[in-house]
Amino acid sequence: MGAKTRKYRRGVVGLVVGVGLLLAGAGCGTATQAEANEVRSEIPREQGQATGEQVAQFVQGAERLALESLKGKQENLVVSPASLQIAGGMVALGAKGETKEALDAMLGTDDAAVINLMEHSLKPWAGNPAVVKDKELPEKPVVHVANNVAIDDEAQVEKTYLDDIARNFGAGIMHTDLGSSEGFKPLNAWVQENSGGLIEKSALQPDKDMRLALQNAIVLAARWAIPFQEEDTRPADFHTANGNIIQVPTMEGIAPWFFLESQGWSMVDMPFSEGMTAQFILPPPDTMPGDISPEILGDLKEQADTLRASAEAIKLGVVKVSMPKVKMKTSMDLEELFEKMGAGIAFTELADFSGMSTTQKLLIGQAKQQVVLDIDEEGTKAAAVTEIAMKQASAPVIEYQHELILDRPYLVVIRTQDTGWPLFVSQVMDPSAQ
């Protein structure tokens, strides 16, 4: 590790990884009810069980989702793999066969109990999402997670599926018309309430063929363990991805944060007041943040975890950090990500969601994620909403070998099949005549 006076150029763009925040992890909380016809299953939510290996695989799955989302992108983007894993887990619970295998591989687990456990792990920080609107951040981090299932009036959903959703995700259930703007008002209200007002409404569009809409929301409000001082924030140069140099409000602080390096990538691990941390990662020169490999990201995380558990960490000295204030909101269509992760089958008529409905052929019709991120001197506010809409497949186009068009006078013979006895015989000369 270099000397503490070593300088690192404020790079093209930085990558932010929050454990239990937005770019790795999951959260837990109890949803308050929007003003809608929301009900709860009588099946109580169970606490999930998982091995350490299953948890590690799930976290790695979150990192893969995040990195695949960022790969090749040149614009600002904030994603929540945790929110996608939860919403995707509700979808996977109703999938079977090849569809379930593809979704499980994308999400990093084949067991909804693992997702349930990860949500439960942040129960100590459960709180009201409206705290993000307060003037000051709470002394103790607040993480709010809520799940919801909106069912269309014409849907035919298996009771076993809804019971499994309640058991593993504690989701509320609302019945509405998913084909109309009026019917979408409860979904909009749910999004606004469970994002603490940071996200205004659902990103889904009404569709007459939509039968279910699965929603997840995650909200974080957390104060830095060592906050920046506002008087130290001043305009400074930032080098954008397209080569421009712009002036942005830039925070500056000196504190005993962990400073780590791996193959030219530099990271500062900046803890919140309790239980969570944000990791700010600077790429090597001429490298984009999304180009980081899972191996390098994993190495930096492992180094930070090792230091956190070490009594020697206090001897590492102090780090000077300069970084811009961030306030961004992004919206993402997730279909491309599903395809890149090998789960594109879920959007096709080859999809098998018979665990949701045995009488209606379902497939994913829309998948959207909206995320808000606000980083300043005091700490961080963030909210994510992931929504996946299940639509009923259109009637299949049937191939045929022959065609008969009765558009001129024709004969009709009605007979029994066993003896061939003709009971009625008719010639139709003019169908309009009575």
Side-chain angles (χ1 to χ4, degrees), residues 247-275:
Q247 290 263 305
V248 295
T250 301
M251 305 179 293
E252 188 173 284
I254 300 176
W257 297 305
F258 295 157
F259 177 84
L260 307 159
E261 295 177 288
S262 180
Q263 300 182 40
W265 295 73
S266 306
M267 182 178 90
V268 168
D269 183 278
M270 193 173 294
F272 293 106
S273 60
E274 183 181 304

Side-chain angles (χ1 to χ4, degrees), residues 28 94 113 116 124-125 150 158 199 228 230 243 322 350 352 367 372 381 400 409 419:
C28 183
N116 189 353
W125 299 286
E158 298 298 309
I199 299 175
F228 292 85
E230 287 190 22
S322 299
L350 297 176
D352 183 355
V372 173
K381 298 176 183 178
Y400 52 86
T419 65

Side-chain angles (χ1 to χ4, degrees), residues 10 230 232-238 246-252 322-327 375-377:
R10 184 177 295 103
E230 287 190 22
D232 294 332
T233 298
R234 55 182 59 88
D237 289 347
F238 186 88
I246 59 175
Q247 290 263 305
V248 295
T250 301
M251 305 179 293
E252 188 173 284
S322 299
M323 67 177 182
K325 297 174 67 170
V326 171
K327 193 165 190 174
I375 300 174
D376 64 14
E377 295 89 350

Side-chain angles (χ1 to χ4, degrees), residues 150-289:
I151 302 176
D152 183 66
D153 296 336
E154 296 185 14
Q156 298 171 13
V157 184
E158 298 298 309
K159 181 179 182 299
T160 52
Y161 173 69
L162 296 179
D163 288 345
D164 285 343
I165 284 287
R167 186 178 295 112
N168 289 283
F169 295 93
I173 298 172
M174 61 173 65
H175 295 268
T176 189
D177 177 11
L178 295 175
S180 70
S181 298
E182 186 68 24
F184 251 68
K185 287 183 177 179
L187 279 75
N188 293 334
W190 188 93
V191 167
Q192 187 171 58
E193 181 176 307
N194 287 283
S195 69
L198 293 182
I199 299 175
E200 295 180 0
K201 62 180 182 178
S202 170
L204 300 176
Q205 297 298 316
D207 184 340
K208 63 180 179 59
D209 293 323
M210 191 186 302
R211 296 295 172 257
L212 290 91
L214 306 162
Q215 298 175 297
N216 166 266
I218 298 180
V219 174
L220 170 78
R223 179 190 294 267
W224 300 122
I226 304 175
F228 292 85
Q229 301 302 310
E230 287 190 22
E231 57 267 27
D232 294 332
T233 298
R234 55 182 59 88
D237 289 347
F238 186 88
H239 302 256
T240 67
N242 60 14
N244 293 333
I245 299 176
I246 59 175
Q247 290 263 305
V248 295
T250 301
M251 305 179 293
E252 188 173 284
I254 300 176
W257 297 305
F258 295 157
F259 177 84
L260 307 159
E261 295 177 288
S262 180
Q263 300 182 40
W265 295 73
S266 306
M267 182 178 90
V268 168
D269 183 278
M270 193 173 294
F272 293 106
S273 60
E274 183 181 304
M276 284 173 280
T277 189
Q279 297 173 333
F280 296 88
I281 304 173
L282 187 70
D286 302 318
T287 304
M288 292 296 102

